[in-house]
Amino acid sequence: MRLSIERKPIRINPDSRRVIARFFFNGGDRAKEVIERVMSISEETVFGIISPLLQEYSKRHRNITRVLERNCDKLKPLFKELKIDYKSLTVYRKLLIGSYFTHEYSVESAAFFNPSIVEDPDQTELQEGNKRVIISFRAVGEGHISSITFRRALIDQNNNITVLPAGSYIDEAEIVRNAIYNKKLFFKNAAVTQTNVAILKDLETKLDDHFEYSNLRRIVIDSQNLEESHMKKLEYDKVLWLADSYYEIAFSFDTDISDRVIFPISEYERKGIEDARFVCFKNDDGSRAYYATYTAYDGSLIMPKLLQTTDFYTFKMMPLYGEGAQNKNLALFPRKINGKFAMMSRIDGCNNYIMYSDNINVWEKTILLQQPKFTWEFIQIGNCGSPIETEHGWVVITHGVGPMRRYVLGASLLKLDDPSVEIGRLKEPLLVPNSDEREGYVPNVLYSCGSIVHNGKLIIPYGVSDSSSAFAEVDLKELIAKLKEDKSN
């Protein structure tokens, strides 16, 4: 039996015109020089510069005045050092100063790939057999910095996919810091970041069992002020960077989902938010929430993190703890199994593991699930998103890396009540790069972060050579039959 897989006639490409206005700061001394220069010009000159600037950039950003005001506000400590009364500044001068500390960043200028797909919370006013979905992407811009972006799409009764046009603007979210930290878990995770042990012990003795960010920040700054060593001051900063990894963000309700970009916020993700694997999770009470595991990268360290939302307007971000929360490739099962959360992982960079936990944030004991078996996955095997539940077992789309570091997609079937048991695995790849998919930012790579079932078909969005995204479809019954045919030894 040979599987038939259909590639959809649709390709989603990066759009370099989609830009976001971001804060730009290249050092306190230079910043103070710029502020002094702007302060030296007349109010008339200020208005003459800022007025046409606002007219031009209001066509490219939803509320450019708010952005410029916010970026000027971030400089308040410098105004204090310069002995300038910030409150006395006119609105136009604040806007002009803010403009000198703002730059446009093209979120998708380099690549738009590694999609995942979930059912949209809003399924109203649809014809029978249609489904509205949300697709997340890894967008890459200048400096290879990754962020999470979204598109809304419609799958009709014939499984034709229509991706709705993106909006005209991109918005960053407002950051909310209201986390309560568990001291034991926080410092256990801090130890993994290779922060100075003596400094961690010092801070730990000064904090309650549960503490707020403001308390930690106050204690860190007080401790830093007692240190003369620059390196030790930096070690204290690392603790704040970890605390910054817990945050909530909120987008305005007047934004389209394509307007929302989750851009790196904390220091531990400043080089990118990579490969979000979204899943619609069914809670014990029948309610649903959306989770996504993703990789935060600071240029040297990798930190697995978890995102949670119910509406795609507000998101809660938090690190994952434990020996099992290492490396990349974590994917959460869409419900508890035997009363426990379940997660797939690839802690050693080579093999697939499974683990269970009573706490969705803490993952310890790992169970080896799959090792490379076939030539096309000899380098590594990993998941391509959360497992999909069927009456025959859990269908897992996998990726395998073989000769010439070619990434292909495979599939496995795991036992429903005990997914640590592999029922079957495709002996041949499900999808390989064809002649139109081999060229890109990283050649010869097909990769996905999540699939969905609709009208009896498994729809797989996938990244094309780390450059753009496409879709493939396979009949679910045929896939399961083939997986049972290719039984594990």
Side-chain angles (χ1 to χ4, degrees):
M1 173 185 172
R2 187 174 181 85
L3 277 173
S4 175
I5 188 159
E6 176 190 348
R7 283 174 163 87
K8 296 291 185 180
I10 182 172
R11 182 74 66 88
I12 308 175
N13 295 301
D15 184 352
S16 60
R17 296 170 299 177
R18 290 177 59 74
V19 295
I20 190 167
R22 307 205 77 231
F23 183 63
F24 180 81
F25 187 79
N26 61 356
D29 291 339
R30 291 186 64 181
K32 285 187 280 190
E33 290 175 359
V34 172
I35 292 171
E36 288 180 319
R37 289 174 187 138
V38 179
M39 292 300 298
S40 70
I41 61 179
S42 68
E43 201 66 37
E44 183 180 2
T45 303
V46 166
F47 182 79
I49 299 171
I50 194 62
S51 181
L53 202 70
L54 293 175
Q55 292 179 44
E56 177 184 357
Y57 284 91
S58 64
K59 299 180 181 69
R60 296 169 65 85
H61 304 280
R62 176 176 280 106
N63 194 337
I64 189 63
T65 56
R66 186 189 66 178
V67 173
L68 300 185
E69 286 177 349
R70 182 176 61 206
N71 289 349
C72 186
D73 283 346
K74 292 178 180 178
L75 304 169
K76 282 182 178 179
L78 299 184
F79 284 95
K80 188 175 182 180
E81 290 180 29
L82 292 168
K83 294 181 169 46
I84 296 172
D85 182 7
Y86 187 76
K87 293 181 180 179
S88 69
L89 300 183
T90 65
V91 171
Y92 294 119
R93 196 174 294 270
K94 287 180 180 178
L95 292 174
L96 182 58
I97 291 172
S99 73
Y100 282 102
F101 294 89
T102 303
H103 74 132
E104 286 191 326
Y105 185 89
S106 179
V107 174
E108 304 171 12
S109 61
F112 199 65
F113 60 114
N114 291 3
S116 73
I117 185 170
V118 290
E119 184 175 302
D120 194 316
D122 179 14
Q123 295 295 319
T124 59
E125 300 180 0
L126 291 178
Q127 294 182 6
E128 186 175 351
N130 290 5
K131 180 176 287 186
R132 192 178 288 120
V133 295
I134 292 173
I135 311 169
S136 72
F137 298 88
R138 177 178 171 184
V140 178
E142 178 189 354
H144 197 74
I145 297 176
S146 302
S147 56
I148 302 173
T149 59
F150 303 96
R151 296 287 191 276
R152 183 171 274 113
L154 182 69
I155 310 175
D156 68 15
Q157 60 270 31
N158 299 313
N159 276 19
N160 297 311
I161 302 172
T162 302
V163 179
L164 303 184
S168 302
Y169 303 106
I170 298 181
D171 270 15
E172 280 190 278
E174 295 294 331
I175 304 170
V176 181
R177 297 199 186 279
N178 57 3
I180 301 295
Y181 303 92
N182 180 301
K183 183 168 72 173
K184 182 178 178 181
L185 290 178
F186 180 85
F187 282 96
K188 184 175 182 180
N189 205 35
V192 176
T193 66
Q194 301 173 2
T195 305
N196 183 286
V197 175
I199 286 174
L200 292 179
K201 288 183 177 179
D202 174 61
L203 292 175
E204 193 170 3
T205 61
K206 297 175 181 177
L207 289 162
D208 296 332
D209 289 341
H210 294 84
F211 59 90
E212 295 181 351
Y213 177 82
S214 58
N215 293 337
L216 175 66
R217 182 176 177 82
R218 175 180 52 79
I219 292 170
V220 165
I221 292 174
D222 288 346
S223 299
Q224 277 183 321
N225 290 335
L226 298 175
E227 286 287 351
E228 295 183 1
S229 166
H230 174 74
M231 294 305 296
K232 285 192 175 181
K233 287 179 183 289
L234 181 60
E235 291 296 305
Y236 280 106
D237 280 336
K238 285 183 180 180
V239 180
L240 282 183
W241 295 347
L242 177 60
D244 285 340
S245 297
Y246 301 78
Y247 58 87
E248 293 183 26
I249 57 175
F251 290 95
S252 172
F253 287 126
D254 64 356
T255 57
D256 180 70
I257 193 163
S258 64
D259 298 340
R260 303 169 210 157
V261 56
I262 301 178
F263 205 83
I265 291 174
S266 75
E267 279 293 318
Y268 275 113
E269 61 191 25
R270 67 182 184 275
K271 288 297 183 180
I273 294 175
E274 301 179 358
D275 301 342
R277 287 161 159 77
F278 276 85
V279 62
C280 182
F281 187 89
K282 185 176 181 180
N283 295 305
D284 292 339
D285 62 3
S287 63
R288 296 180 184 273
Y290 293 89
Y291 290 98
T293 53
Y294 68 91
T295 303
Y297 181 55
D298 72 351
S300 59
L301 287 174
I302 290 171
M303 177 183 287
K305 295 187 68 175
L306 185 70
L307 170 159
Q308 178 184 356
T309 185
T310 57
D311 56 9
F312 287 87
Y313 284 103
T314 58
F315 298 83
K316 184 177 182 180
M317 334 290 273
M318 56 206 125
L320 294 171
Y321 300 100
E323 294 180 5
Q326 306 295 325
N327 217 303
K328 301 182 178 183
N329 234 218
L330 277 72
L332 185 69
F333 280 71
R335 65 169 175 83
K336 287 184 177 180
I337 299 173
N338 300 320
K340 293 182 179 291
F341 295 103
M343 182 93 79
M344 293 190 69
S345 67
R346 200 188 70 219
I347 60 171
D348 56 11
C350 179
N351 306 299
N352 259 336
Y353 291 79
I354 190 169
M355 48 193 175
Y356 302 95
S357 178
D358 294 319
N359 187 327
I360 199 169
N361 296 106
V362 183
W363 300 90
E364 294 293 354
K365 185 179 179 181
T366 58
I367 302 168
L368 180 62
L369 176 63
Q370 295 174 312
Q371 296 175 292
K373 180 190 296 186
F374 306 112
T375 58
W376 46 274
E377 60 185 16
F378 269 6
I379 292 178
Q380 74 185 47
I381 182 174
N383 71 74
C384 278
S386 295
I388 294 170
E389 185 172 8
T390 75
E391 62 180 315
H392 302 280
W394 297 98
V395 173
V396 181
I397 301 301
T398 62
H399 72 266
V401 184
M404 301 299 293
R405 290 201 62 81
R406 185 182 73 160
Y407 278 67
V408 302
L409 302 189
S412 300
L413 185 65
L414 309 179
K415 191 175 180 181
L416 198 60
D417 59 351
D418 184 5
S420 63
V421 176
E422 181 189 83
I423 296 172
R425 189 194 312 187
L426 293 185
K427 295 178 180 178
E428 299 293 334
L430 180 65
L431 197 68
V432 302
N434 63 21
S435 58
D436 296 328
E437 297 171 334
R438 294 188 60 187
E439 313 302 337
Y441 195 50
V442 182
N444 303 310
V445 173
L446 296 188
Y447 198 87
S448 177
C449 288
S451 308
I452 198 169
V453 175
H454 185 57
N455 295 328
K457 307 288 185 179
L458 179 64
I459 297 172
I460 308 169
Y462 62 95
V464 178
S465 291
D466 281 14
S467 294
S468 59
S469 293
F471 297 86
E473 174 187 290
V474 62
D475 185 89
L476 185 60
K477 287 184 178 179
E478 290 182 9
L479 174 61
I480 291 172
K482 181 64 175 173
L483 286 166
K484 289 183 175 181
E485 179 184 308
D486 291 356
K487 289 182 179 180
S488 300
N489 294 330

